[in-house]
Amino acid sequence: MAKHKVPGLKVGGGGKAKWLVGALLVLALVLIVKSPIEAAGFGKSVFGAIDTAATSVVTFFNSF
């Protein structure tokens, strides 16, 4: 069988970036486990803001 590399988040060899990513993941998991309804609302609002921003950019470039 051929080995396939799965693309992922590469934070380099540095310890600080890897520690920061790990800390953010642990914090997100704690928030989800401790209060899943608030975490779902927060996630929905974040992804809604991203969707609104992307739609605005696309609308702007379509106007040309």
Side-chain angles (χ1 to χ4, degrees), residues 11-61:
V11 292
K16 288 185 180 180
K18 190 178 281 189
W19 182 85
L20 181 65
V21 170
L24 288 174
L25 286 175
V26 168
L27 183 64
L29 287 174
V30 167
L31 177 66
I32 290 170
V33 169
K34 192 167 185 171
S35 55
I37 294 178
E38 287 86 3
F42 177 74
K44 187 175 180 180
S45 67
V46 167
F47 286 119
I50 292 170
D51 180 48
T52 302
T55 303
S56 298
V57 169
V58 169
T59 304
F60 174 75
F61 284 117

